Amino acid sequence: LGGEPFYDKSCRKFLSWADKNLKANLMIFTNGSDIDFDFLKSYQGTVTLIFSLDAIEKPAEYIRHGTIWNEVLDNYLQSKTFSNVRTRVNITCSVYNYIYLKDLINLLCKDWPEAVSFGSVAQDYLREDIVPLKFRPAIIESLQQAVTQIEVTDIENGQKHNAINAIKSNISNLEKSSWNQDGYKKFCEVTKKLDAVKNININDYCEFVGQFLK
């Protein structure tokens, strides 16, 4: 249903029951903000935690508002120490994080999780073609550095190819797509409205992307 399952009282009630009655393999999606380590320690089955991570540090806190990055990072790293826990990462690629993917990839390459998947946003105004042309070379260079980092890291071949192909697709779209001016205007409008509602400023978190705004 979305959200953070370890916050959900119904989910916690189920996990409490599962801890006493199951040894099944469980798969749990999480934003990493709140992990029940007592449950992970006592559960007799295998738990696959799929962390939704789109960036690190300040950009992560902007993209997923309410995130405290140091807490998420600590939870992610601690989860990897449990023998019965498998960690995966799901990355949603958008205009907000293309430039920051390199930093996230560098983090993951230190100890690549079981699987990393790359998704794309449904909204047209958050895709590559809304990026103004003058900003694209810097993003492309950053993404190419991410590809190079993956290429030299010891990762299972299937995972390596999937990650490289996903990032190269972003690069290709940035290189070949014409500027979507209408989508760009929509991006500016939506970002400014969301910042006003959240009482934040994109420039305090994602300075590079903040330059896109009129």
Side-chain angles (χ1 to χ4, degrees), residues 11-58:
C11 180
R12 284 187 174 273
K13 183 178 180 181
F14 166 75
L15 293 178
S16 178
W17 173 85
D19 194 26
K20 299 179 178 65
N21 295 279
L22 294 181
K23 294 183 181 179
N25 296 335
L26 300 180
M27 182 176 291
I28 302 174
F29 289 81
T30 175
N31 60 29
S33 295
D34 183 25
I35 304 295
D36 188 340
F37 290 108
D38 290 335
F39 168 75
L40 297 182
K41 183 177 180 179
S42 63
Y43 187 64
Q44 297 184 52
T46 298
V47 180
T48 298
L49 291 180
I50 304 176
F51 285 80
S52 297
L53 303 177
D54 302 322
I56 69 171
E57 299 178 349
K58 283 291 186 180

Side-chain angles (χ1 to χ4, degrees), residues 112 114-116 150 155-165:
W112 196 261
E114 181 182 66
V116 178
I150 295 171
I155 303 170
E156 188 272 327
N157 281 336
Q159 276 292 300
K160 178 172 289 193
H161 292 314
N162 288 341
I164 289 174
N165 288 340

